[in-house]
Amino acid sequence: MIVDHIKNCGRYLGGHRNIAAALQYIADHADDPKLQDGSYPIIPGEVIVHVLTKETHAREEAKMEIHKNFMDIHYIIRGAERCGIAPLAAESEIDYNPETDNGFWDCRDSYNVMIGEGEFYAVWPMEPHCPLCNAAGQGETIRKIICKVKVD
């Protein structure tokens, strides 16, 4: 997992081209007041951006998740969230759907990280995470960008 402020995205632009494309999109559009909720293919089949406004939830109301083929980069435009982190479960415990590249299971967090405005976190394929959890003990409406990034 990487946790950083978007102003430091230059640290990561020299790596994988798809990660660089996703971070550059975030940096270029983070303060864009015209950015609408929706999905935007940046590199079709390899980098897809989802802009959304959602309510955070209690950690107990969500399951841990993984993706096998894509990494996630979550950027917080407005508000804050906690993301739960845990060890990878046995494959038999994970309800994985290859069509959506999502796997879910119940577990307790090993730890969690709080992400605020202007910050992002990146989770690699097969790295368990539970996003959109309440940051301050109660739900709040947040606005964020999630990039689905195909990595080799």
Side-chain angles (χ1 to χ4, degrees):
M1 171 181 257
I2 296 170
V3 179
D4 207 338
H5 195 282
I6 197 63
K7 69 182 179 187
N8 300 321
C9 73
R11 296 175 180 168
Y12 312 100
L13 298 180
H16 195 284
R17 73 179 185 95
N18 289 347
I19 295 170
L23 289 172
Q24 192 63 59
Y25 180 91
I26 292 169
D28 291 346
H29 295 88
D31 297 322
D32 182 355
K34 296 179 184 176
L35 185 63
Q36 297 292 314
D37 283 8
S39 296
Y40 306 94
I42 304 307
I43 301 174
E46 295 190 22
V47 180
I48 299 99
V49 171
H50 303 283
V51 180
L52 48 110
T53 305
K54 285 199 89 137
E55 188 77 13
T56 62
H57 50 71
R59 171 60 183 95
E60 301 78 34
E61 297 173 7
K63 294 184 176 190
M64 193 62 61
E65 67 180 68
I66 54 111
H67 314 290
K68 290 185 177 183
N69 300 309
F70 287 81
M71 72 180 295
D72 279 358
I73 301 174
H74 294 246
Y75 171 76
I76 306 298
I77 298 171
R78 184 180 65 242
E81 74 173 47
R82 287 194 183 273
C83 179
I85 307 297
L88 184 61
E91 194 168 340
S92 61
E93 295 178 43
I94 300 171
D95 180 20
Y96 180 75
N97 181 337
E99 291 181 22
T100 61
D101 191 36
N102 287 317
F104 297 97
W105 72 97
D106 288 317
C107 73
R108 296 181 66 158
D109 300 344
S110 295
Y111 63 95
N112 62 67
V113 294
M114 189 167 99
I115 311 298
E117 292 178 7
E119 297 176 325
F120 71 93
Y121 62 95
V123 290
W124 300 93
M126 303 301 289
E127 190 167 15
H129 58 290
C130 187
L132 280 169
C133 296
N134 297 341
Q138 63 183 17
E140 73 171 292
T141 302
I142 67 167
R143 185 155 165 77
K144 68 188 293 186
I145 296 172
I146 303 172
C147 297
K148 303 300 246 179
V149 181
K150 180 89 169 164
V151 289
D152 308 305

